[in-house]
Amino acid sequence: MHIFLSLAQEGCGMNHRESLRTESAAIRGLLTRASLEIEAVRHERILRRKFSADQPRAPAGQPDGGQWIPAGGGQAIGVRSGGSGDDVAHREQTVLEDGTRVLSLRIRSGRRDYDTQDIVTAPDGQSRIFETSGLTQTIRDGGTGAVLGRSTFTAAGAEPEAFVQSTFLPAVPAATAATIRLVGSLFAVLSTRNDQFGKAVLGLTANEYAVDLTENTVRAAFAGRIDQRTLDAACRRNGEVEALAEQAVRSVRASGLYRSAQDFGDKVHAWIAAVVNKQGDPNFVAEISFDKNSEKTSYGDRYSTRIDLFERTAPGTTCVYDFKTGSATISSNRALKLVAAAGRHFPDTVRVIVIQVKPRS
């Protein structure tokens, strides 16, 4: 009897310890999941912290005059935990005509694993975060922080890169219409900051079997600033195009034969087209217009889209140049129309690079 009771008691003790271990494992699992959920919420709140329309701007006359500044000194906006303003060297916000806001942050060297961060928010609340390190750009969903895509700009255009999606953040399709639209918006803003040290490019790459570049076919998207050497490698006649634009502006201005800023710009376009098309190069063509059915049409036709200059740099790759004079700048809508037009003129195009050309003369 004594032995039986001892064995029974020992069995009860073993069952109790096993029960405790099971409960402990379950509690640890709950805590782990809770920790992930808390991190996701914290992450989302950081990403959702945006500048509002009624925030103060720096006073005119200062180096950052007119730029948006954080209320009460605030913290830097970004995906990094803590978000201290100490790692942001410069911030600038631009509001486009359609109400889209682009907040650009330049990061101090070594403080984050990217050099610049651009937060683009549409009036409907859709937002994307672009983190650029050198020629590699990661696109995140502005609401969840989920990585939507990563690409590297190469001599052939934007090439997709592999990336790992966080398991506790919901997956969001990379090539949505909203993403492409906001990529175009970022390109439009960055193009206003072109200088002799670098230029903004818009690069979209479709699936090899795609017949056009739409939200259903895009494999890689890139909107960022690149240096002149990289641009020349991707669009080999870029230097020639820029020189032509400078010559055209000087020639038209010297002639004095223009009635308005619009007329001046038209004559600059015509001057460039005459020089380019005289070469008779099918891979270097200026001033082509398409109607709403994607058919070639005469310049000036109602609802037509005029393309300033195409350069076919390699099979499947097309560079599109858009000339601007005076205060005019390229718009997001215009940039995306140029992408579509490239596929119409060169049907096997899968990589498009768009560049704004604005003579300094």
Side-chain angles (χ1 to χ4, degrees):
M1 177 65 74
H2 176 72
I3 294 174
F4 174 79
L5 289 174
S6 296
L7 289 174
Q9 290 171 350
E10 184 177 350
C12 289
M14 292 178 62
N15 291 337
H16 182 64
R17 287 193 296 273
E18 183 64 29
S19 177
L20 289 175
R21 282 195 295 268
T22 301
E23 290 179 6
S24 178
I27 291 172
R28 284 197 301 271
L30 289 172
L31 289 174
T32 299
R33 286 193 294 273
S35 177
L36 290 175
E37 290 173 359
I38 291 171
E39 176 65 15
V41 171
R42 183 196 61 78
H43 195 83
E44 181 176 352
R45 285 180 176 176
I46 291 174
L47 289 169
R48 287 186 180 278
R49 194 183 302 140
K50 301 182 178 74
F51 284 77
S52 61
D54 57 356
Q55 277 187 264
R57 294 174 184 256
Q62 295 186 5
D64 58 349
Q67 295 175 16
W68 297 79
I69 57 177
Q75 294 181 326
I77 294 179
V79 300
R80 186 176 182 182
S81 177
S84 171
D86 293 340
D87 54 5
V88 176
H90 178 76
R91 72 181 70 224
E92 182 175 0
Q93 178 157 289
T94 303
V95 181
L96 298 176
E97 288 185 1
D98 65 357
T100 299
R101 297 180 182 276
V102 179
L103 175 64
S104 299
L105 306 177
R106 190 172 70 244
I107 309 304
R108 297 186 190 280
S109 178
R111 298 297 182 91
R112 304 190 191 182
D113 55 2
Y114 46 85
D115 307 316
T116 62
Q117 183 184 69
D118 296 281
I119 304 171
V120 186
T121 306
D124 63 4
Q126 289 275 0
S127 65
R128 299 291 182 266
I129 298 174
F130 300 81
E131 298 169 350
T132 308
S133 177
L135 297 176
T136 298
Q137 186 172 79
T138 299
I139 303 177
R140 296 180 181 272
D141 179 72
T144 65
V147 175
L148 305 182
R150 180 172 292 129
S151 62
T152 297
F153 191 84
T154 72
E159 295 295 338
E161 299 281 353
F163 63 91
V164 178
Q165 175 66 52
S166 300
T167 57
F168 62 92
L169 290 176
V172 180
T176 63
T179 297
I180 294 176
R181 185 177 73 250
L182 295 179
V183 168
S185 296
L186 176 58
F187 168 67
V189 169
L190 295 180
S191 291
T192 66
R193 304 170 189 170
N194 288 347
D195 55 33
Q196 66 270 30
F197 303 109
K199 291 182 174 62
V201 296
L202 170 64
L204 292 177
T205 298
N207 291 309
E208 298 296 333
Y209 56 81
V211 295
D212 58 6
L213 279 143
T214 69
E215 62 267 22
N216 298 320
T217 65
V218 170
R219 295 174 57 236
F222 181 96
R225 179 183 171 91
I226 63 175
D227 59 41
Q228 193 67 47
R229 183 176 179 179
T230 302
L231 178 56
D232 291 342
C235 301
R236 303 184 187 99
R237 303 186 73 166
N238 171 69
E240 178 183 348
V241 171
E242 293 188 355
L244 282 174
E246 295 286 349
Q247 292 171 28
V249 166
R250 288 196 294 268
S251 177
V252 174
R253 182 173 289 123
S255 74
L257 301 177
Y258 54 90
R259 301 180 299 275
S260 63
Q262 178 65 49
D263 188 39
F264 179 84
D266 290 343
K267 284 184 165 56
V268 167
H269 282 74
W271 192 100
I272 296 170
V275 173
V276 170
N277 292 336
K278 186 178 180 180
Q279 300 178 26
D281 186 345
N283 294 319
F284 195 54
V285 186
E287 296 298 313
I288 303 176
S289 293
F290 296 94
D291 62 21
K292 60 183 180 180
N293 296 317
S294 301
E295 299 293 334
K296 284 187 182 180
T297 186
S298 301
Y299 169 70
D301 280 3
R302 192 177 185 186
Y303 304 122
S304 66
T305 299
R306 184 183 68 181
I307 312 306
D308 294 347
L309 180 60
F310 282 127
E311 176 195 357
R312 188 174 176 79
T313 64
T317 299
T318 301
C319 294
V320 186
Y321 300 93
D322 195 57
F323 300 113
K324 297 297 180 187
T325 57
S327 60
T329 58
I330 193 169
S331 68
S332 173
N333 187 50
R334 168 72 174 167
L336 296 177
K337 282 185 176 180
L338 295 178
V339 171
R344 296 169 194 157
H345 190 65
F346 299 112
D348 63 340
T349 293
V350 293
R351 292 176 297 275
V352 178
I353 303 169
V354 182
I355 312 107
Q356 174 183 279
V357 178
K358 192 166 187 177
R360 294 186 295 273
S361 298

